[in-house]
Amino acid sequence: MKMNKFMLKMMLKMILHPTAYTCRDTRKLMLDYVEGTLEPEKRRKLDAHLADCPECQAFLATYRDTIRRTRGALPPESEMPEELRTRLVRFLKSSSD
Amino acid sequence: MQLNLNADDALLEALSAKADGAAEVLVERYGGRIYGMALRMMGNPADAQEVAKEALLTIYNKAGGFERRSAFSSWIYRVTANAALMRLRKRKGQQDELSLETLQEPLGESSRILEDWRRIPSNETLNRELGKVIQNAVRVLPDEYRVVLVMKDMEGQSLEEIASALELTLAAAKTRLHRARMVVRKAVTDYLREGRRTTT
């Protein structure tokens, strides 16, 4: 496998700081990081990794954008039709226990 | 008769007593939310109407037994999610877990994906198209994943509430949510790449 500059840098980091997070750790913890539910020590380590890793920065940016875009992608017909509202009230009244 | 049921507590009391006007207030206050959530989970209005009907009936008939250990609105989401899941199971049977392999990406891929995403112009038409791509990706997710994604990223429920509603561990709810988001992210990326190929 061809070793690029980025991979060499990450390998060197792992040797010098064996407890530092890898890209794999970062991906595993990304959900908690984004949700703000990561423990402070893990968050600090993940921030340290992100500061040095453009790949994980890119992952984080697109992961966050995915959430934002999903939230904005509600189906247009999500309003409840008025006729359905009336029908549901009638249905509830006629079928109560 | 006009009922003053501003607070959920008062609505619960009225529902328990099957008071006049309680059904109207329930449908007026929560019908839209229940129907919207059902629509996003089921993907079509006909099934969404059936789920809304089922959920409202459960709420109307079981309000008296609601133990108030969680907020009334959380219970409503739970009842709706369960009604949707029941119907989805009847519709298609149980689906498999999402394959992790299809969600892993090679080193360097995230930067390329970000490059693609940065080229998204802030134009109304493309954003509408992307919205459809996302809706479609959500629609074809395995049911168990779609329900979690809809509850979290569309309805804004907390992961704890979702785990409790679907009787999952918190870890399982997180795994499903993460994988569902990865599928949506991939769908957007594929669309952007495909679009670029056809325009160059």
Side-chain angles (χ1 to χ4, degrees), chain A residues 7 27 32 35 55 58-59 62-63 65-66 69 73-74 77-78 87 91-93 95-97, chain B residues 24 27 31 39-40 49 53 57 60-61 107-108 110-111 117 127 134-135 152-153 174 178 181 185:
Chain A
M7 287 166 86
R27 306 295 162 96
D32 277 313
E35 297 300 325
E55 252 308 276
F59 182 87
T62 52
Y63 191 82
D65 210 24
T66 301
R69 287 184 179 278
L74 302 177
E77 66 275 61
S78 56
R87 202 147 42 87
F91 168 74
L92 288 181
K93 286 179 164 176
S95 53
S96 57
D97 280 341
Chain B
E24 282 89 342
V27 173
L39 186 62
R40 289 185 271 280
Q49 289 187 17
K53 208 163 122 179
L57 184 64
Y60 191 63
N61 283 332
L107 198 66
S110 293
S111 299
W117 284 50
N127 272 323
I134 292 170
Q135 282 172 34
K152 180 70 180 69
D153 288 348
K174 285 179 180 178
H178 181 69
R181 284 173 173 171
R185 178 173 170 270

Side-chain angles (χ1 to χ4, degrees), chain A residues 43-71:
Chain A
R43 188 172 188 91
R44 192 191 57 72
K45 284 170 77 174
L46 204 146
D47 278 332
H49 176 86
L50 278 171
D52 254 2
C53 179
E55 252 308 276
C56 289
Q57 287 169 19
F59 182 87
L60 174 63
T62 52
Y63 191 82
R64 278 194 166 133
D65 210 24
T66 301
I67 300 167
R68 186 180 64 79
R69 287 184 179 278
T70 303
R71 195 167 292 138

Side-chain angles (χ1 to χ4, degrees), chain B residues 7-56:
Chain B
D8 280 343
D9 276 350
L11 174 58
L12 264 169
E13 296 298 331
L15 288 170
S16 306
K18 297 283 184 291
D20 280 349
E24 282 89 342
V25 176
L26 174 66
V27 173
E28 188 58 43
R29 189 175 300 167
Y30 288 108
R33 262 184 265 179
I34 289 171
Y35 176 73
M37 181 174 165
L39 186 62
R40 289 185 271 280
M41 285 184 182
M42 305 304 295
N44 70 76
D47 279 334
Q49 289 187 17
E50 288 306 310
V51 168
K53 208 163 122 179
E54 191 61 42
L56 282 163

Side-chain angles (χ1 to χ4, degrees), chain B residues 90-175:
Chain B
K90 270 191 222 160
R91 196 166 77 179
K92 286 190 279 189
Q94 203 65 36
Q95 288 175 309
D96 295 334
E97 291 277 300
L98 270 181
S99 161
L100 263 183
E101 282 168 29
T102 59
L103 302 176
Q104 280 173 354
E105 53 195 38
L107 198 66
E109 186 62 11
S110 293
S111 299
R112 279 192 286 275
I113 289 174
L114 183 61
E115 271 176 45
D116 289 322
W117 284 50
R118 278 191 175 142
R119 288 198 198 99
I120 301 175
S122 51
N123 114 22
E124 190 88 357
T125 312
L126 182 71
N127 272 323
R128 243 198 324 269
E129 274 183 41
L130 273 179
K132 282 186 195 156
V133 169
I134 292 170
Q135 282 172 34
N136 197 45
V138 172
R139 192 174 54 79
V140 298
L141 276 171
D143 303 335
E144 316 289 340
Y145 291 81
R146 182 170 60 257
V147 172
V148 175
L149 184 82
V150 166
M151 290 178 86
K152 180 70 180 69
D153 288 348
M154 291 181 161
E155 304 291 339
Q157 295 280 289
S158 75
L159 275 159
E160 286 78 6
E161 284 170 322
I162 296 165
S164 150
L166 304 178
E167 294 176 357
L168 293 171
T169 62
L170 187 57
K174 285 179 180 178
T175 301

Side-chain angles (χ1 to χ4, degrees), chain B residues 77-96:
Chain B
Y77 275 113
R78 185 155 61 234
V79 170
T80 308
N82 284 329
L85 277 173
M86 291 255 289
R87 194 162 183 85
L88 286 165
R89 280 178 194 138
K90 270 191 222 160
R91 196 166 77 179
K92 286 190 279 189
Q94 203 65 36
Q95 288 175 309
D96 295 334

